[in-house]
Amino acid sequence: MLSHNVDACPHPLFSSDPMAPTVSPIDWAVALTGLLAIVWVNWYFFFARAPVAQAASSGGGVAEVIIAVHGGYDPATVHVAAGAPVRLVFDRQETSSCSEEVVIPAFGVRRFLPAFQKTTIEITPAAPGTYEFTCGMSMLRGRVVAK
């Protein structure tokens, strides 16, 4: 039968030696801060709700929405009518290399976005569904939801 002798345990937290190092309040604060940072990063990238916009119809019967590009897409979700053309105007407001390209795979679109300029892309989602768009590295994400 195995028995556990606390004095034989090599780990300092379980040692009965009064001179063994202990976990200080600062150590606990650092560990808690790290844990909170991990939780926040996961929430931000996986669970935060992105802004949603309804594409507004402009002259010529084409719905249009302006999407600001600055560390992400704002709005990240655009609702449109299925079967109707939509004009996505990407307004790139930064020089980050990640945001210099937008890719809409369902429509075969891969377009360079010049810094501090607007770039217009017209698509027509033929059927209801969700159509993703990303940056060239797939780190920035958005979607067009056709109903």
Side-chain angles (χ1 to χ4, degrees):
M1 178 163 188
L2 296 174
S3 65
H4 183 68
N5 182 354
V6 174
D7 291 331
C9 186
H11 196 284
L13 288 179
F14 301 112
S15 173
S16 62
D17 178 9
M19 298 304 291
T22 60
V23 179
S24 71
I26 292 175
D27 295 332
W28 284 110
V30 168
L32 181 62
T33 301
L35 181 63
L36 290 174
I38 291 168
V39 168
W40 180 83
V41 165
N42 280 289
W43 171 82
Y44 182 81
F45 284 105
F46 300 113
F47 301 108
R49 295 201 87 59
V52 177
Q54 181 72 36
S57 201
S58 65
V62 177
E64 180 175 293
V65 65
I66 297 175
I67 301 170
V69 182
H70 187 75
Y73 298 114
D74 184 19
T77 302
V78 178
H79 289 271
V80 301
V86 61
R87 183 177 299 130
L88 305 175
V89 181
F90 290 90
D91 183 8
R92 185 169 175 226
Q93 303 169 355
E94 64 181 356
T95 59
S96 170
S97 62
C98 184
S99 67
E100 69 185 9
E101 184 178 41
V102 66
V103 180
I104 312 173
F107 298 96
V109 173
R110 179 177 289 269
R111 187 79 54 88
F112 178 75
L113 302 177
F116 306 104
Q117 293 183 29
K118 292 181 180 180
T119 303
T120 301
I121 298 173
E122 288 194 25
I123 59 173
T124 303
T130 299
Y131 303 91
E132 302 286 331
F133 58 88
T134 67
C135 68
M137 295 185 269
S138 296
M139 293 179 66
L140 306 179
R141 298 181 165 277
R143 61 191 180 155
V144 174
V145 179
K147 295 184 177 188

